Amino acid sequence: MKCRLTPGLLKKEPAADKETVSATEAEEGQEAVDAEIVAEVPEEQMDKAADPNVLIKGDVTVEGKKVLVKGSSNLPPDLTLEAEITAKGYSMFGYTDEAKTENDGSFALEIEKPNLKSTDTMDLEIVFRPEEAVEPVQEIYGKKGEKLTGPYVYQYESSGEIYKQVAVRAGIKAKDAKLQLEEPGWEIPEDQGNPEVWIKPVVTKDAKNYYVTGKSNLLEGTEVKLDIDIPDSWHIGYSDSAVTAPDGSFEMRIEKPKNIDSFYILVQMEPDEDMWPSAKETYGEKGEKLKGKFVKNKQTDEGAVKYIQVKMKVKEDKKESK
């Protein structure tokens, strides 16, 4: 999907450039309409001083079977924003909408609300990618979004290259009727990208799940996996994965094992062929550059591989685990 920008709308037209044309006659069976002619600004006069430090705010409202978003931004007019709702554990398609920014950068979206369990969270994401925009916009933000700055900037991989996009997110729970789009507060480690990897996970739980959030010095976009190890037991389905945020942080969850009073939670980062080019260069295609106390080794069909593993022992209350 391409984002379109009408060149004349990069600069807001003065009132003097507008002319109202009133229809004096109409054919039988038709109704006269007053149409407003809006003069376009020549391309050479376009305002290219849009700020690469993109700011987005907005309110999210859940009304019946709809999720409504009313937002504001410092983006130029006529840019297309794409929105999607997803949820962990669900295969979802079609919970999307798109909107163009108005002259003042505002926008409005309306997305169908998926029918989820009351304990699950809807993940709303609104995205703008300069890669898909026309040339005047790319001059402001870069063809790959490389000129973008600010807390709403995320990386993504396309055809083996790293691009940047603007994204704003919100986690919507069943009890939420109204909330705001989230402004990230990244705390980027000074040693981010160091092959001597550290991961600091935090484990919490509720009646259904264990939640593992964490900080790390991993590069943005690195896949982290969550698994469990139950001694002397065979099990499937207790796993999750996530890609690290711009500051190396991550969030994952697993269902609580039943009838188990002791097990291990494993947080792992294993290099593979699907890693971003930046991660392959930093950690090695087979993890050969990895260092530190969390490095493990294993033998695969493709040879020896190094990976990162943080192992935590969990003791479950027997009453809760039943």
Side-chain angles (χ1 to χ4, degrees):
M1 185 177 296
K2 296 291 184 183
C3 295
R4 298 180 177 86
L5 176 99
T6 302
L9 290 182
L10 263 178
K11 186 168 184 176
K12 191 172 181 179
E13 305 87 348
D17 288 338
K18 297 182 180 181
E19 178 184 356
T20 300
V21 181
S22 300
T24 56
E25 297 181 0
E27 296 291 337
E28 184 177 350
Q30 298 180 1
E31 181 181 351
V33 176
D34 290 341
E36 183 181 86
I37 298 176
V38 180
E40 293 192 354
V41 177
E43 185 170 347
E44 62 269 16
Q45 296 180 22
M46 287 191 305
D47 180 7
K48 297 179 182 178
D51 191 350
N53 186 1
V54 175
L55 302 175
I56 299 179
K57 297 188 297 182
D59 294 319
V60 181
T61 305
V62 181
E63 291 185 0
K65 297 183 178 181
K66 298 290 183 181
V67 176
L68 308 176
V69 182
K70 289 187 177 180
S72 61
S73 75
N74 62 345
L75 289 166
D78 214 30
L79 293 188
T80 300
L81 301 178
E82 300 176 20
E84 182 176 18
I85 289 177
T86 57
K88 275 188 176 293
Y90 293 85
S91 178
M92 301 169 59
F93 177 78
Y95 295 94
T96 61
D97 192 23
E98 63 177 40
K100 289 192 175 185
T101 52
E102 301 294 339
N103 281 359
D104 61 356
S106 63
F107 59 91
L109 294 152
E110 181 178 300
I111 311 164
E112 183 180 351
K113 177 180 174 291
N115 185 22
L116 307 180
K117 296 179 181 178
S118 60
T119 54
D120 292 329
T121 300
M122 294 182 288
D123 297 312
L124 168 67
E125 182 178 54
I126 303 168
V127 171
F128 161 64
R129 289 183 170 180
E131 174 200 7
E132 300 171 345
V134 293
E135 187 173 342
V137 177
Q138 292 182 347
E139 290 181 10
I140 299 168
Y141 302 117
K143 291 184 178 181
K144 297 181 180 180
E146 67 273 10
K147 297 180 182 179
L148 287 169
T149 61
Y152 299 100
V153 179
Y154 294 79
Q155 296 179 1
Y156 65 99
E157 187 266 345
S158 178
S159 301
E161 296 188 64
I162 301 298
Y163 292 74
K164 290 184 178 181
Q165 65 183 0
V166 173
V168 59
R169 298 165 177 173
I172 309 170
K173 298 182 180 180
K175 62 180 179 60
D176 294 327
K178 192 168 185 176
L179 66 159
Q180 292 185 324
L181 295 174
E182 300 167 356
E183 178 178 350
W186 307 125
E187 297 179 1
I188 299 177
E190 292 182 359
D191 62 343
Q192 186 177 44
N194 190 320
E196 186 168 346
V197 172
W198 55 263
I199 297 176
K200 298 178 181 178
V202 174
V203 181
T204 58
K205 67 178 181 179
D206 58 21
K208 181 182 177 182
N209 299 310
Y210 278 93
Y211 300 86
V212 180
T213 60
K215 297 182 179 181
S216 78
N217 64 342
L218 289 167
L219 290 172
E220 178 183 0
T222 304
E223 184 178 36
V224 181
K225 296 180 180 180
L226 177 64
D227 206 344
I228 67 171
D229 177 19
I230 304 175
D232 303 319
S233 176
W234 184 82
H235 58 279
I236 59 172
Y238 296 100
S239 62
D240 196 9
S241 64
V243 294
T244 51
D247 63 351
S249 61
F250 55 85
E251 298 180 4
M252 297 181 287
R253 76 179 185 193
I254 53 170
E255 187 176 348
K256 294 176 69 172
K258 296 179 180 179
N259 303 318
I260 300 295
D261 59 1
S262 180
F263 64 98
Y264 297 93
I265 289 180
L266 309 176
V267 178
Q268 300 174 322
M269 187 284 282
E270 182 175 334
D272 59 34
E273 60 182 12
D274 296 325
M275 286 193 309
W276 289 3
S278 52
K280 288 181 180 180
E281 181 179 352
T282 300
Y283 306 125
E285 294 192 12
K286 296 183 179 181
E288 63 271 15
K289 297 181 182 180
L290 289 170
K291 299 184 294 183
K293 63 181 180 180
F294 297 120
V295 175
K296 302 292 181 182
N297 295 275
K298 71 176 182 179
Q299 196 68 28
T300 69
D301 294 339
E302 288 75 34
V305 173
K306 287 185 177 182
Y307 65 101
I308 298 296
Q309 177 178 283
V310 178
K311 188 174 184 179
M312 297 168 286
K313 187 172 184 179
V314 176
K315 291 185 178 180
E316 183 64 84
D317 188 314
K318 292 183 179 180
K319 295 180 180 179
E320 293 183 4
S321 62
K322 291 182 180 181

